[in-house]
Amino acid sequence: MGIVSGLLLLPLAPVRGTAWIADHLLQEARRQAHDPRAVQARLAALNRALDEGAIDEAAFEREEERLLTLLERPARPTGRTTTTKPARRRHL
C-alpha cells in the first residue's frame, strides 16, 4: 500500500479494526460452541434441569437433539481458511 492510499484510507482504520475484532470473536465463539467438552457439559446441565423439573420433556428433547447434532458434525468452516483449486488451463 502506498503512502497516498494509506493516508486516504486512514479514516476507515477504526471500521476495519472493529470488523477484524468481530470476526475473531465470532470464530472463537464458534470454536467454543462446537467444543465436545463444552457440549457434553451442556448436556449434563440439561439433564440436571430436567431432573429438577426446571424444564419440561419437550424442551429437553429439542435442546438435546440440537446438542447431539453439534457433537455429531464438525464446526462449519468460516470460509477464510479455505484453499482454492488452481484454475484449469485450456488447451487450444
Side-chain angles (χ1 to χ4, degrees), residues 7-60:
L7 288 173
L8 290 175
L9 294 176
L10 189 61
L12 296 177
V15 174
R16 290 180 17 216
T18 303
W20 180 83
I21 290 171
D23 184 50
H24 278 65
L25 288 174
L26 179 62
Q27 288 177 15
E28 181 63 19
R30 284 183 178 158
R31 186 191 66 75
Q32 288 181 10
H34 289 84
D35 180 22
R37 291 176 296 180
V39 174
Q40 289 169 352
R42 287 188 286 185
L43 277 169
L46 185 65
N47 281 313
R48 280 192 306 275
L50 180 66
D51 291 341
E52 295 169 356
I55 60 172
D56 63 351
E57 188 75 28
F60 171 81

Side-chain angles (χ1 to χ4, degrees), residues 69-88:
T69 302
L70 283 176
L71 278 177
E72 290 173 359
R73 66 178 172 187
R76 291 183 305 186
T78 60
R80 298 206 180 259
T81 59
T82 59
T83 57
T84 57
K85 291 191 252 181
R88 287 188 164 185

